[in-house]
Amino acid sequence: MNITEYFTRISYNGSYKNLDFETLTAIFQHHIRAVPFENLSIHCGETIELDLEPVYDKIVRKKRGGWCMENNHLLSWVLKTLGYDTTIIGAKVYSPEENAYNDHINHLLLKVVLDGKAYIVDGGFGMVYQMWQPMELISGKDQPQVPGIFRFMEDNGIWYFEKIKRKQYNPNQSFSNSSNLGKNACRKLYLFTLEPREIEDFRPQSVYLQTSPDSLFVTKSICSLQTTDGLWALVGWKLTKVKYNYKENMDLMESTTLTDEEVEKTLKDKFRVMLDHKLIPVNSSRLSMF
C-alpha cells in the first residue's frame, strides 16, 4: 500500500505535510468526490472484505468504491500514515421505518484530534447525508455545509448525529416523494460513543448486512458519488442528479429510469466504476434513500 498511489486515485496534488484542518478537509473532499459510496459487490456475487489490503486493492487499484467499513477503514490508514491522531469508532444507524436506532454497531466512522479539538470524519455514509467537511465534535452547534445543516447532540456520553434537510424539488413528478417536497425536515442519522473500535468489531454486522433479506444493502443496489455542487445516485435502475441549494433553501433532484445496458454505461461514465462481474440491479425496498 502506497500513499502516493492513493493520492493519484483521488486526484489529490496538494500538500499533505501540514497536519491541519485545511489539509484534512482537502484530502477528505477529494476522497468523497472520487470514491463512490456503493454496495455493488453484493449484487455482483462478490463478498465485501474488511481487511485493509483487499479494501486498498479494491478502491485504489481497481478504482471501485465501498461502504463505510471500506471507505472509512481506508481513510483511517491514510490519516494515520500521514500522522493524524485517528481513532476508529462505531455507530448505530437510525432506521426511519423502525423509528429506532439499530441494536448493533453497524457503521464505522473516525475521530480525528487536531490541536486539541476532536473532529468526526465520515467518508462512508453517502447519498444526501454525506458530510462534506470534518465536523467539530461539539454538542448542540449547527454546522452548515453545502449539503445542509449537520449537528451533534450529546446526552450522557452518547452522541447523536442529524441533518436538517432542505426542501427537495423533482421536476419529474412521477419520481417525487411527497414526504420530501415542500418542507424542511430534521433527519436522525446515527448515534455513537467515543469508545475506540477495531475492524473485528464490525465483522458480524458486515456479514448480516451482506446476507440478510432484511438488510437495506440486500434489497437495494446503491452507488452515489459527491460532486462539486451535489451528487449522482444510482439506486437500482433509478439515476438521480442532485444539485444542492439550486434555489433558496431548495435542492433540485432530477431522476430517470435506466435500462440494464444504460446502468452499466452510467456506472462507467458518471461514477467511473467498472465491475469485474455482472451487476444485477435491485430496488425491492420502498424506503426512500433521500
Side-chain angles (χ1 to χ4, degrees), residues 111-143:
K111 183 188 76 170
V112 176
V113 178
L114 283 174
D115 298 323
K117 283 186 179 180
Y119 296 86
I120 294 299
V121 175
D122 184 356
F125 208 70
M127 301 298 289
V128 295
Y129 303 108
Q130 176 60 57
M131 65 176 66
W132 278 17
Q133 295 173 251
M135 291 185 54
E136 185 177 358
L137 188 60
I138 184 169
S139 180
K141 178 184 177 182
D142 287 354
Q143 301 190 48

Side-chain angles (χ1 to χ4, degrees), residues 35-102:
V35 182
F37 172 84
E38 52 108 327
N39 70 336
L40 303 180
S41 291
I42 296 172
H43 304 285
C44 293
E46 302 166 355
T47 300
I48 295 175
E49 304 287 346
L50 299 190
D51 291 333
L52 198 51
E53 289 195 9
V55 169
Y56 179 94
D57 186 60
K58 177 181 177 181
I59 293 178
V60 177
R61 297 207 169 106
K62 294 184 177 179
K63 296 180 171 56
R64 285 282 304 278
W67 61 8
C68 66
M69 300 174 197
E70 298 169 288
N71 267 303
N72 287 332
H73 194 195
L74 179 64
L75 271 172
S76 74
W77 169 78
V78 170
L79 298 179
K80 288 176 182 177
T81 299
L82 295 176
Y84 287 92
D85 180 353
T86 306
T87 305
I88 291 175
I89 56 179
K92 299 177 180 180
V93 175
Y94 178 79
S95 168
E97 286 184 314
E98 304 289 337
N99 190 28
Y101 295 93
N102 201 283

